[in-house]
């Protein structure tokens, strides 16, 4: 299933809110809209993100099963994918360890502090501005919580 422009715009709006909340607006974003689902039966991907920390680029892939979810769940899925950016440093360390590469304790601690600071700053950024907090909360509250029917798409 090919998403409509209206669906794409909604997801990009969710992306804007997510990037604002998580302080990721300095990252470039590229979208891939898949027409076939990926994954095994019962475990199909709804969306994925590829993170390039060096060049601050994100590639977000959205799969057809995503469009069967409620707007509220779609926002949660997109927000979840953007949260991966904050944990990417630790993920890379684990991958290096699994590949038998040497990783220092200092490197692990630096990445841990970096990720903690990102979460801290994003929450403080949101909570320090009541107007921004209300705007974000209002956007999320207005999201539909009922499933779409095939005819609605």
């Amino acid at each position: 299933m090919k998403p409509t422009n209206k669906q794409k715009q909604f997801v990009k709006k969710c992306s804007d809110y997510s990037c604002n909340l998580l302080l990721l607006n300095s990252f470039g974003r590229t979208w891939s809209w898949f027409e076939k689902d990926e994954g095994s039966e019962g475990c199909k991907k709804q969306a994925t993100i590829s993170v390039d920390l060096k060049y601050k680029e994100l590639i977000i892939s959205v799969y057809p099963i995503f469009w069967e979810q409620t707007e509220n769940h779609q926002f949660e899925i997109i927000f979840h994918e953007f949260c991966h950016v904050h944990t990417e440093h630790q993920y890379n360390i684990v991958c290096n360890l699994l590949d038998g590469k040497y990783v220092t304790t200092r490197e692990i601690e630096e990445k841990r502090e970096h990720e903690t600071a990102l979460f801290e700053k994003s929450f403080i950024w949101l909570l320090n501005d009541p107007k921004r907090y209300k705007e974000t909360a209002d956007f999320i509250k207005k999201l539909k919580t009922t499933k779409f029917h095939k005819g609605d798409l």
Side-chain angles (χ1 to χ4, degrees):
M1 179 192 119
K2 190 173 187 175
T4 65
N5 284 335
K6 183 178 176 184
Q7 288 172 312
K8 289 179 183 179
Q9 291 307 317
F10 171 74
V11 171
K12 288 179 181 180
K13 187 173 184 177
C14 291
S15 161
D16 290 342
Y17 274 98
S18 298
C19 285
N20 281 339
L21 290 169
L22 296 169
L23 305 177
L24 299 175
N25 285 320
S26 63
F27 280 80
R29 288 177 252 171
T30 302
W31 294 88
S32 295
W33 311 100
F34 284 80
E35 294 185 34
K36 283 189 168 186
D37 285 319
E38 282 190 20
S40 59
E41 196 59 40
C43 189
K44 292 187 177 176
K45 295 178 184 178
Q46 297 177 66
T48 59
I49 193 165
S50 296
V51 180
D52 183 333
L53 293 172
K54 183 176 182 179
Y55 294 105
K56 297 188 86 167
E57 290 291 330
L58 307 172
I59 299 173
I60 307 97
S61 301
V62 179
Y63 299 90
I65 196 169
F66 175 87
W67 305 112
E68 297 175 15
Q69 308 306 313
T70 65
E71 282 184 346
N72 186 274
H73 192 64
Q74 288 176 359
F75 175 78
E76 289 174 1
I77 292 165
I78 295 300
F79 190 81
H80 172 92
E81 292 307 317
F82 282 101
C83 285
H84 283 296
V85 178
H86 285 317
T87 61
E88 190 70 9
H89 286 290
Q90 291 290 348
Y91 176 75
N92 289 336
I93 286 173
V94 170
C95 289
N96 285 340
L97 286 170
L98 288 172
D99 288 342
K101 296 178 182 170
Y102 182 73
V103 177
T104 66
T105 303
R106 181 178 178 169
E107 184 180 3
I108 293 168
E109 285 299 318
E110 284 176 358
K111 302 306 182 201
R112 181 178 184 219
E113 288 302 320
H114 173 81
E115 290 173 2
T116 302
L118 287 171
F119 281 113
E120 169 211 346
K121 293 195 182 324
S122 63
F123 285 111
I124 297 299
W125 175 84
L126 178 65
L127 296 171
N128 275 339
D129 186 339
K131 183 179 175 187
R132 180 171 36 229
Y133 180 84
K134 183 176 178 352
E135 178 187 330
T136 303
D138 288 346
F139 171 76
I140 294 170
K141 284 180 196 173
K142 290 177 187 173
L143 298 176
K144 295 177 185 170
T145 56
T146 54
K147 286 205 176 248
F148 291 101
H149 301 302
K150 297 283 184 200
D152 294 341
L153 301 176

